[in-house]
Amino acid sequence: MDPTQILPQFGNAAFTLAAFVVALSVIVAIHEYGHYIVGRWSGIHAEVFSLGFGPVLLSRRDRHGTVWQIAALPFGGYVKFLGDANAASVGQAAGTDPTKLRHTMLGAPLWARAATVAAGPIFNFVLSILIFAGVILTQGRAADPLTVERMLTLPSTYVNELRAGDEILSIGGTELPEQGGMARLAEGYPAEPVLDYRVRRDGREMLVRGPYPQPPLVGGVSPRSAADAAGLRAGDVIVTLDGREVFAFAELIEIVTASEGRTLDMTVWRDGSTRELSLTPRRVDLPRDEGGFETRWLLGISSGLFFEAATETPGLGTAFGDAVGQVWRIIGSSLSGLGHMITGAISSCNLSGPVGIAQTSGAMAEQGATSFIWFVAVLSTAVGLLNLFPIPVLDGGHLVFFGYEAVTGRQPSDKVLRVLMALGLSLILTMTVFAVLNDLFLCP
């Protein structure tokens, strides 16, 4: 990638940077607040809570004696506890006053130090769960039976006799399963441009005609994908791909898979007019449900129905259960992906650095508030997981030191700490540099 083209790829660079700063600030604030509040509950005094680094722009001291400040460089933050002497908050506590020592990080009981350190990543996971649950509760899930809320606009060549309010009972002679009609709308139906729909309308059943349930309609565009680079938008309908007329989203997958990365021409319908586009599918490693990864060629678009489905609000238990499951899936796929990258089973291009994350932040913000908030939750889970890695400097490294202390009854020596901290910092810096090179040059 030509470095001079970095800013143009950001689109509106200021907007992208602002989105990145907002996402990072929220995640860091929650992470550090976890450290702060659990430390306070555990009897450890926080001297400074800083959002950002460098020169202080705003500050105030609260009734507990903690200085809350906003600094000029909004790319992180920290909590400085009483008695902190190094980045790991471990070592030999200085001083002889037992009362004062108890309120320092180094002089507090082992359980208090461990709880304080672990609270940062845990608060990141809690933030993700709350956001995911909130989005699920706000957006709801498809009503049962599947009901048409609003028809989307399709090219005039499509046959569609369905109406808002229709309850869909069967498609192409195949009954829709209860509590799952939405998820299985593309399964088991004849691959034909026009299908029979049995619907319940105004209390009586009838047969009407409609398009394939998932036509080649762009439901969403992934940031930094081939479709994003080509200018595809949600709501576009792909009329032809690689010279072939298409009427089902499954046909797009078939053509793109067979292309093996070859540039494809397409005709796209948008707002009553058509346009010609060319785009090159990108190789992506995707996690399998049963574990592991598979390599596929993708445009970077998700499928969409030809109508909006009526929704119903799930219960709190269901929403939070789904949210916890979402966090668990992100953790599982992240760990699996890292392992596969280390062994060389998948490309290291799956690792994004600050530039890639910033670009994704801006792209998700452009797609709307819900997409951006969902991205913040995903990123918060990733940050929480990263901080639990057993690397000195990170929270996971701190916990390893505390585990050593719990087993041996003594803290690591200052000399060992200095060596381990230097190695940990070197590893983090090396990974960061590699990720930035990935973003800018190795994986355009």
Side-chain angles (χ1 to χ4, degrees):
M1 179 185 297
D2 182 355
T4 62
Q5 296 182 4
I6 294 174
L7 288 181
Q9 287 192 3
F10 272 59
N12 187 329
F15 178 81
T16 297
L17 182 61
F20 177 56
V21 169
V22 169
L24 186 63
S25 296
V26 170
I27 292 168
V28 168
I30 293 298
H31 180 97
E32 297 301 333
Y33 185 77
H35 290 316
Y36 161 78
I37 193 64
V38 173
R40 201 183 86 187
W41 292 340
S42 302
I44 302 173
H45 175 65
E47 293 185 311
V48 179
F49 185 110
S50 179
L51 190 59
F53 299 97
V56 177
L57 303 179
L58 296 171
S59 69
R60 75 173 185 86
R61 185 181 299 274
D62 67 14
R63 61 188 180 89
H64 300 287
T66 301
V67 175
W68 296 74
Q69 65 184 37
I70 297 176
L73 301 177
F75 301 107
Y78 63 91
V79 176
K80 182 181 182 300
F81 289 105
L82 181 65
D84 276 356
N86 51 58
S89 292
V90 293
Q92 303 299 322
T96 57
D97 184 348
T99 302
K100 185 175 181 179
L101 282 177
R102 174 58 184 85
H103 296 296
T104 68
M105 174 62 85
L106 301 181
L110 181 59
W111 68 265
R113 286 178 278 144
T116 299
V117 168
I122 290 173
F123 268 53
N124 280 134
F125 297 143
V126 170
L127 172 65
S128 299
I129 291 170
L130 291 175
I131 290 177
F132 287 142
V135 172
I136 292 170
L137 288 170
T138 301
Q139 293 189 334
R141 56 172 52 185
D144 190 32
L146 187 62
T147 304
V148 177
E149 176 76 18
R150 183 177 71 87
M151 304 304 305
L152 301 182
T153 304
L154 296 174
S156 59
T157 54
Y158 278 74
V159 175
N160 184 14
E161 299 173 348
L162 280 81
R163 299 178 184 174
D166 285 349
E167 297 177 358
I168 301 176
L169 306 177
S170 71
I171 303 175
T174 302
E175 301 290 324
L176 264 66
E178 295 183 2
Q179 301 298 333
M182 192 74 167
R184 297 179 56 185
L185 265 183
E187 298 180 8
Y189 305 122
E192 299 175 359
V194 181
L195 296 174
D196 289 331
Y197 285 72
R198 184 165 61 88
V199 303
R200 183 182 293 115
R201 180 182 296 171
D202 298 328
R204 64 188 185 93
E205 294 185 11
M206 63 177 64
L207 279 178
V208 296
R209 297 182 301 162
Y212 194 82
Q214 290 182 319
L217 170 70
V218 178
V221 178
S222 299
R224 305 175 65 205
S225 64
D228 188 24
L232 282 176
R233 302 176 187 169
D236 288 349
V237 178
I238 299 174
V239 180
T240 67
L241 181 62
D242 199 28
R244 172 178 161 184
E245 187 175 1
V246 292
F247 58 85
F249 195 87
E251 294 178 300
L252 302 180
I253 299 175
E254 175 187 329
I255 295 172
V256 172
T257 300
S259 75
E260 296 186 343
R262 174 172 50 86
T263 298
L264 302 173
D265 295 325
M266 66 167 58
T267 303
V268 176
W269 180 92
R270 178 187 297 168
D271 299 330
S273 61
T274 59
R275 63 193 66 199
E276 304 296 325
L277 297 176
S278 294
L279 70 172
T280 304
R282 297 183 180 178
R283 188 172 178 174
V284 180
D285 298 303
L286 298 175
R288 295 192 183 100
D289 291 337
E290 63 274 16
F293 282 75
E294 63 175 336
T295 300
R296 292 172 56 187
W297 294 97
L298 300 178
L299 298 181
I301 60 176
S302 58
S303 60
L305 304 176
F306 64 90
F307 62 88
E308 289 183 2
T311 60
E312 56 189 12
T313 302
L316 282 175
T318 299
F320 277 94
D322 290 349
V324 171
Q326 180 68 24
V327 169
W328 186 250
R329 283 190 294 274
I330 294 171
I331 292 174
S333 62
S334 297
L335 292 176
S336 178
L338 180 61
H340 281 74
M341 278 189 283
I342 292 174
T343 61
I346 63 174
S347 171
S348 60
C349 288
N350 290 278
L351 178 67
S352 290
V355 176
I357 295 172
Q359 289 177 314
T360 304
S361 299
M364 297 303 285
E366 288 178 351
Q367 292 183 16
T370 300
S371 296
F372 180 68
I373 292 171
W374 187 274
F375 172 72
V376 169
V378 173
L379 189 58
S380 181
T381 299
V383 169
L385 176 62
L386 175 64
N387 272 276
L388 286 178
F389 286 177
I391 301 174
V393 180
L394 299 180
D395 294 331
H398 302 184
L399 295 175
V400 170
F401 294 147
F402 296 150
Y404 172 85
E405 182 180 346
V407 172
T408 65
R410 64 180 185 276
Q411 298 178 354
S413 68
D414 289 341
K415 181 178 180 180
V416 170
L417 282 176
R418 284 195 296 269
V419 172
L420 292 177
M421 292 295 293
L423 291 175
L425 184 59
S426 297
L427 178 60
I428 294 297
L429 291 176
T430 299
M431 290 177 59
T432 301
V433 170
F434 178 73
V436 171
L437 291 176
N438 253 4
D439 292 337
L440 299 182
F441 304 106
L442 303 179
C443 306

